[in-house]
Amino acid sequence: MKALLFTVTLSVPWAQSLKDKRMVVKSLKDRLARRNLAVLESGMTEQRQRAELSVVALAANQALAD
């Protein structure tokens, strides 16, 4: 079994508050979760216009991981 981990930094320049940013992050997390990916907001939690997400996926073998 292979585990894949990657980190994504997002810019949300139109966010005027943390609530605006959270709506964008929640929407993206929900969309990725439907594809069987585990998603976590791993950094920049208090910054209004930036977000960092860590995404994890499991694959049964190397061919599926690629």
Side-chain angles (χ1 to χ4, degrees), residues 41-62:
E41 187 173 2
S42 56
M44 300 183 206
T45 58
E46 297 301 319
Q47 292 186 17
R48 186 182 67 210
Q49 296 181 336
R50 295 178 51 95
E52 181 180 277
L53 300 178
S54 294
V55 182
V56 177
L58 294 177
N61 56 45
Q62 186 64 40

